[in-house]
Amino acid sequence: MDTISENRSFGGIQGVYRHHSDSCGCPMTFGLYLPPQAATAPVPMLWYLSGLTCTHENAMVKAAAQQHAARAGIALVFPDTSPRGEDVADDKDYDLGQGAGFYVNATQAPWAPHFRMWDYVAEELPRLLDNAFMIDPDRQAITGHSMGGHGALTLAMNLPGRFASVSAFAPIAHPTQSDWGRKQLGAYLGDDESAWAAHDATLLMRESGFGGPVLVDQGNEDQFLDLLKPEALAEAMAARRQPGQFRMQKGYDHSYFFVSTFMGDHVAFHADALGLA
């Protein structure tokens, strides 16, 4: 693993690291914020999964998360959103290919050789973090924005017991019924829609829900509301009587101005679930 950069931030260290990924078959870059508490003992970690077109860097520099993580004593993990490189398949559209991995394991050509973001986030990167940093692997939580909110919710519900809590900012909530989902799931997983269900937060919520608390924030002025379909997830949470909250925030859009406004709430929410509050 190569260290790209390390910067002091709120008493901790914001690092950027690169390593070869066996899952994705290419080099992968991630950001990791270690709070000051990690200097003396392993700390719990909060995963942040980013949205379409993002790299590890977007949330790392725009979400205003480090100050809240330092106060709570929680590490922040910022994975990339897809494999990258000259040998990695791509598409002319921004919402497919590099920068748009959708946190699935692709089974279809030309995506299958590299687009295995589910295995990367669920298995490979956690092992690397556990071995290389002062991280407590038994205390994890997960959040994300847009495509990353989709990833956070689906990972949490598909991996029971892994995460103490899950939250999302403007998630792609019902991808099997949205152009932000049908296009990508069809390309990556094929035409059999039964294979898509495990990657739809609304369907998972209806079927099994999540064993811990859930927090979802959505701006009511989000320019992508018709693609996100938040009402489907809200209805599924209510029908299942899922512990947690779905909050429609008046006047907010899809940007990182929205994410950074409520980041403190989300870090505090996860800190409480992880026993840090």
Side-chain angles (χ1 to χ4, degrees):
M1 185 171 62
D2 298 323
T3 299
I4 305 304
S5 63
E6 289 184 333
N7 299 96
R8 180 69 65 180
S9 176
F10 295 97
I13 297 292
Q14 176 61 65
V16 177
Y17 308 94
R18 183 177 294 128
H19 68 108
H20 178 79
S21 167
D22 291 334
S23 300
C24 297
C26 65
M28 294 291 287
T29 302
F30 67 93
L32 174 67
Y33 176 71
L34 289 174
Q37 294 87 340
T40 56
V43 295
M45 58 180 165
L46 173 60
W47 293 81
Y48 183 101
L49 305 186
S50 289
L52 289 167
T53 75
C54 292
T55 70
H56 69 280
E57 189 175 32
N58 293 72
M60 192 179 80
V61 300
K62 294 181 180 179
Q66 289 86 350
Q67 60 185 316
H68 306 296
R71 188 178 304 116
I74 187 169
L76 300 168
V77 186
F78 303 101
D80 203 346
T81 55
S82 78
R84 299 181 190 272
E86 292 183 2
D87 296 331
V88 176
D90 202 5
D91 191 87
K92 61 181 177 59
D93 292 336
Y94 75 95
D95 57 355
L96 187 67
Q98 295 186 37
F102 257 75
Y103 304 101
V104 303
N105 285 340
T107 60
Q108 306 298 303
W111 315 106
H114 297 287
F115 280 73
R116 301 190 63 79
M117 288 300 294
W118 182 276
D119 282 353
Y120 179 68
V121 173
E123 303 296 338
E124 184 177 9
L125 188 52
R127 288 195 299 268
L128 186 152
L129 294 169
D130 183 25
N131 291 331
F133 299 98
M134 289 285 273
I135 297 291
D136 183 349
D138 296 324
R139 292 190 293 166
Q140 300 184 51
I142 191 166
T143 188
H145 173 229
S146 194
M147 179 185 72
H150 140 81
L153 290 164
T154 56
L155 280 157
M157 285 187 276
N158 276 299
L159 299 172
R162 172 76 64 90
F163 303 104
S165 48
V166 60
S167 72
F169 300 88
I172 299 174
H174 200 8
T176 62
Q177 301 302 315
S178 168
D179 288 342
W180 270 2
R182 295 188 62 82
K183 172 183 177 179
Q184 295 82 1
L185 296 175
Y188 295 143
L189 302 178
D191 294 334
D192 181 2
E193 296 189 17
S194 65
W196 304 359
H199 300 285
D200 186 308
T202 294
L203 298 181
L204 291 168
M205 183 61 68
R206 290 173 183 167
E207 179 180 350
S208 59
F210 177 64
V214 176
L215 174 62
V216 178
D217 274 316
Q218 172 66 62
N220 79 328
E221 295 293 333
D222 193 315
Q223 60 270 45
F224 302 115
L225 276 174
D226 290 343
L227 292 166
L228 300 172
K229 300 192 177 298
E231 65 283 350
L233 179 60
E235 290 167 2
M237 289 177 64
R240 176 151 288 280
R241 300 177 182 175
Q242 171 66 48
Q245 289 183 284
F246 185 104
R247 309 191 303 190
M248 188 65 73
Q249 301 292 359
K250 183 178 180 180
Y252 285 90
D253 59 16
H254 199 71
S255 70
Y256 267 95
F257 296 109
F258 159 63
V259 173
S260 61
T261 298
F262 298 102
M263 179 57 71
D265 288 356
H266 283 242
V267 173
F269 164 78
H270 292 295
D272 181 64
L274 291 163
L276 296 173

